[in-house]
Amino acid sequence: MNGNPTYHAIALAVGTLLVPTIPVGILAGWTPRRFRGRRSAARPYAWAVLCLYTLMPINAVPRMLDASADTVTACTLLGFVSLAASAVFFIRAERAVRRIPTRAS
C-alpha cells in the first residue's frame, strides 16, 4: 500500500524546496509585484498555500515509515482538515481582493 519510500522522500524534498518559499516570504513581509497595493489579499493566499503544503508531509511521512493502513488512513483524513483550512483562506483572500478599490481608467 505504501510503495517505495524513496519516491515519497524525493517528492517531499522537492516539494519542501519549491512550495513554501514564496508563502513564507510573504508572511515575513515581502510582497510580490503582482500583489503590490493588495497586500491584505497576499497573506490569506500565503496561508492557503501553506495549508496545501501540509498535505505533503501528512501523507508522505507515514508512507515513508511504512505505517499501518489505519495510520495512513488517519493521516489522509487529517489532510482533509488541512484542505478545508486552505479553502477557507482562499475564500478570505477572494473577499479581501473584492474589498480593494480598483483604479479608475
Side-chain angles (χ1 to χ4, degrees), residues 68-90:
S68 67
D70 293 336
T71 304
V72 171
T73 303
C75 289
T76 302
L77 291 175
L78 184 62
F80 284 113
V81 174
S82 177
L83 190 63
S86 68
V88 168
F89 281 117
F90 276 126

Side-chain angles (χ1 to χ4, degrees), residues 10-11 25-26 31 36-37 41 49 53 56-57 70 72 81 85 89 96:
I10 291 170
I26 290 172
T31 306
R36 303 255 193 246
V49 172
Y53 164 72
M56 289 181 199
D70 293 336
V72 171
V81 174
F89 281 117

Side-chain angles (χ1 to χ4, degrees), residues 13-95:
V14 170
T16 300
L17 290 173
L18 296 177
V19 175
T21 54
I22 292 177
V24 169
I26 290 172
L27 294 174
W30 173 72
T31 306
R33 269 186 270 145
R34 178 178 174 154
F35 287 110
R36 303 255 193 246
R38 298 186 291 168
R39 179 140 173 84
S40 62
R43 293 182 67 82
Y45 279 124
W47 282 113
V49 172
L50 286 177
C51 286
L52 288 176
Y53 164 72
T54 60
L55 290 171
M56 289 181 199
I58 287 173
N59 285 313
V61 171
R63 288 175 170 84
M64 288 169 37
L65 299 175
D66 200 29
S68 67
D70 293 336
T71 304
V72 171
T73 303
C75 289
T76 302
L77 291 175
L78 184 62
F80 284 113
V81 174
S82 177
L83 190 63
S86 68
V88 168
F89 281 117
F90 276 126
I91 291 170
R92 286 186 60 197
E94 179 61 29
R95 288 183 179 168

